[in-house]
Amino acid sequence: MNSLIKLELTRALRNKKFLFFSVLYPAVLFLIIAGNAGNAKIDGTGLTVATYMMVSMASFGALTAVLMGNSERIAKERESGWVRQLRLTPLPGRGYVLAKTASAAVVSLPSIVVVFLVAAAVKDVRLDAWQWLALTGIIWAGSLVFAALGVAIGYLASGDAVRPITMIVYFGLSILGGLWMPTTTFPRFLQDIAKWLPTHAYAALGRAIEESRAPHTTDIAVLAVYFVLFAGGAAWLYRKDTLKA
C-alpha cells in the first residue's frame, strides 16, 4: 500500500492544474476578498475580515484538495479498468481507498499553510503559536470528512458525470456553508440551512480557535454525523462496485 500512496502523491504533485486550484487559488481568493477590508470586523464575531476569511479560505483549499482530488480520479480509474486491475493484486480492497485519502490529505496540508503564510505576511494576521498549530491540525483533520465524500462520489458517478456532480456539490457546500462570504449576509432562511451544512461547522471550529473559546458542540456533532454518513456511503458504494466487478 505504501507504494500506491507514493504513486498517488507523485501523480498529484505533477498535476500543475490541480496544485494551482488546491494550493494557490484559495490564497489568491483570500487576497481578493480581504484586500481592501482594512480592520473592518465581521458582525457577531469580533474577528477582522482578514482573520475570518483566513480560516474560510484555508478550509476551502483543503476541501478542494480532498474532494476534487478524490472524486474525479476514482471515477475515471474505475472506468479505465485500473481499479479492476488493482483488485487482482495482493493489495487489500481498503488499501486503494486509504491510498486515495492519504494522498489527498497530504496535498491539502500545503493549501492550508500557504493561506496562513499569506494572511500573516500580507494582511498582518497575528495569532498565538498554539492557535496556529491548533488551526492547522483542526482544518487538516476536518478535511477527512470531505475526503470521504469525494470517495463516495467517485464510486457513485461515472467518468462523464463525476465532474458536474462534484462541481455542484463543491460550490454548493462552499458558498452556502459560508466559505466565500459570511453567512450573516444571507437571508434568514439560508442562514438556517447553512448552520446544518458540514462546511459551516468545519469553518466554525477554526473560528472558535481564533476567538480562544471552546467550539460549539453542535458544530462537532454536525461534522461527526456527516463523516459517518459519507464514510458509510463510500464503504457501501465500494462494496457494491466490487460485487459488480
Side-chain angles (χ1 to χ4, degrees):
M1 189 172 71
N2 290 338
S3 298
L4 184 58
I5 292 175
K6 290 178 183 178
L7 174 62
E8 292 296 334
L9 279 173
T10 301
R11 291 173 63 189
L13 294 174
R14 285 179 178 174
N15 188 335
K16 294 182 174 61
K17 182 179 179 181
F18 173 70
L19 286 177
F20 172 78
F21 281 102
S22 62
V23 178
L24 298 180
Y25 180 53
V28 172
L29 273 182
F30 167 77
L31 290 176
I32 292 173
I33 295 172
N36 297 317
N39 292 320
K41 294 189 176 182
I42 301 294
D43 292 340
T45 66
L47 300 174
T48 64
V49 172
T51 307
Y52 185 95
M53 292 309 301
M54 179 184 75
V55 164
S56 292
M57 288 298 107
S59 302
F60 176 66
L63 169 68
T64 303
V66 297
L67 180 59
M68 302 295 286
N70 271 338
S71 60
E72 290 195 35
R73 281 201 293 270
I74 289 175
K76 290 178 180 178
E77 287 175 2
R78 286 174 52 233
E79 196 168 70
S80 68
W82 172 243
V83 176
R84 191 178 301 110
Q85 288 183 337
L86 286 176
R87 289 190 182 120
L88 300 177
T89 70
L91 179 74
R94 66 182 180 279
Y96 173 76
V97 175
L98 289 174
K100 288 292 184 185
T101 303
S103 62
V106 170
V107 175
S108 72
L109 184 58
S111 67
I112 299 168
V113 173
V114 168
V115 171
F116 287 173
L117 289 174
V118 169
V122 180
K123 299 304 296 180
D124 200 32
V125 173
R126 294 291 178 264
L127 298 172
D128 292 337
W130 74 266
Q131 289 175 302
W132 288 115
L133 292 173
L135 277 174
T136 303
I138 202 72
I139 294 175
W140 195 23
S143 68
L144 293 177
V145 175
F146 305 99
L149 175 59
V151 173
I153 293 175
Y155 277 102
L156 176 67
S158 64
D160 292 331
V162 66
R163 176 162 292 187
I165 291 174
T166 303
M167 294 301 284
I168 290 170
V169 173
Y170 170 64
F171 284 112
L173 288 177
S174 298
I175 296 171
L176 293 178
L179 298 188
W180 284 21
M181 63 192 77
T183 56
T184 52
T185 63
F186 293 175
R188 170 54 61 182
F189 78 97
L190 282 182
Q191 291 185 40
D192 292 338
I193 293 173
K195 67 183 180 181
W196 298 110
L197 294 178
T199 38
H200 182 274
Y202 181 38
L205 296 183
R207 295 190 189 110
I209 292 172
E210 289 183 318
E211 295 173 354
S212 299
R213 60 173 175 80
H216 294 303
T217 54
T218 301
D219 294 324
I220 297 174
V222 166
L223 268 187
V225 168
Y226 274 106
F227 178 71
V228 171
L229 289 175
F230 294 156
W236 180 78
L237 289 166
Y238 173 78
R239 287 195 297 270
K240 183 180 177 182
D241 189 70
T242 302
L243 291 174
K244 283 197 306 183

